[in-house]
Amino acid sequence: MPEKARVAVLISGRGSNMAALVYAAKRPDCPFEIALVASNDPDAAGLELARAEGIATFAHSHKGMKRAEFDALIDAEIRKAGADYVALAGYMRLLSPEFVGRWKGRMLNIHPSLLPKYKGLHTHERALEAGDSHGGCSVHIVTAELDDGPVLGQTQVAILPGDTADSLAARVLIAEHQLYSRTLADYVTRTAVKEAASG
């Protein structure tokens, strides 16, 4: 069996998408493993879960640090963990162009809308205000522009009569948990095949 791709997951809060990736990685046939969970908030609830699952963690507050300086610190930890890929899972910081450049083509993000619709925040409110029939989620490659990289996968989630932003968000989150692990698995497998062919 080929060596598993090592993934560092960046979180800022409870880390439910990180947890979904951790549990997906327990399958024997999963092509990735979680090498590190890192956060810009030492109190992020997801860190406790990662530690309980035996995964290395790193946390450091970004307060008082320049963006590039903080990103260099996180980058050093990711490299120390031997990660091949970075998965953003509710990481609420804008990344410096230097950091994005270092992980070009190897950093993925999950976003709670059907991109290119509703980049940024308040995605569910915006879908409801627009009268959309569906919300959803997207996994995309991270580029220097916010929520703008090539989309690798999407799941549509029907908007129900009477939905609020919270009720829609709860259903979209279920879809996110399914989509992220599947898309990440496909992506690392495809990338490994490409690299083997070009090597």
Side-chain angles (χ1 to χ4, degrees), residues 1 4 24-32 185 189:
M1 181 152 170
K4 294 188 176 220
K26 290 186 180 223
R27 279 181 51 158
D29 61 346
C30 183
F32 63 81
T189 304

Side-chain angles (χ1 to χ4, degrees), residues 45-131:
L47 293 166
E48 194 179 345
L49 184 145
R51 286 186 204 109
E53 293 291 352
I55 296 164
T57 61
F58 173 78
H60 195 293
S61 173
H62 60 271
K63 292 184 177 121
M65 293 181 81
K66 290 193 171 74
R67 193 178 305 283
E69 184 188 5
F70 181 77
D71 284 358
L73 183 69
I74 290 276
D75 183 60
E77 291 298 321
I78 292 170
R79 290 177 189 281
K80 209 192 299 179
D84 309 298
Y85 296 88
V86 177
L88 306 181
Y91 189 62
M92 300 309 288
R93 285 204 31 92
L94 286 174
L95 297 165
S96 63
E98 295 87 352
F99 186 83
V100 173
R102 281 189 211 114
W103 291 96
K104 187 179 178 190
R106 291 188 171 262
M107 183 158 48
L108 273 56
N109 182 45
I110 185 136
H111 182 73
S113 80
L114 296 170
L115 292 172
K117 277 185 165 182
Y118 314 131
K119 296 173 183 182
L121 301 173
H122 310 299
T123 56
H124 308 301
E125 290 91 337
R126 288 152 73 194
L128 290 169
E129 280 164 17

Side-chain angles (χ1 to χ4, degrees), residues 99-184:
F99 186 83
V100 173
R102 281 189 211 114
W103 291 96
K104 187 179 178 190
R106 291 188 171 262
M107 183 158 48
L108 273 56
N109 182 45
I110 185 136
H111 182 73
S113 80
L114 296 170
L115 292 172
K117 277 185 165 182
Y118 314 131
K119 296 173 183 182
L121 301 173
H122 310 299
T123 56
H124 308 301
E125 290 91 337
R126 288 152 73 194
L128 290 169
E129 280 164 17
D132 292 353
S133 63
H134 288 78
C137 53
S138 309
V139 174
H140 66 96
I141 295 172
V142 176
T143 58
E145 297 298 315
L146 180 69
D147 301 328
D148 198 49
V151 172
L152 300 172
Q154 290 186 318
T155 301
Q156 288 195 345
V157 174
I159 292 175
L160 305 179
D163 254 339
T164 63
D166 286 345
S167 64
L168 177 57
R171 284 201 312 288
V172 169
L173 194 61
I174 296 169
E176 288 179 39
H177 293 167
Q178 309 259 335
L179 179 68
Y180 209 175
S181 57
R182 198 168 62 233
T183 307
L184 179 60

Side-chain angles (χ1 to χ4, degrees), residues 9-25:
V9 185
L10 303 190
I11 65 170
S12 290
R14 63 189 170 169
S16 74
N17 267 303
M18 173 272 295
L21 295 178
V22 166
Y23 301 140

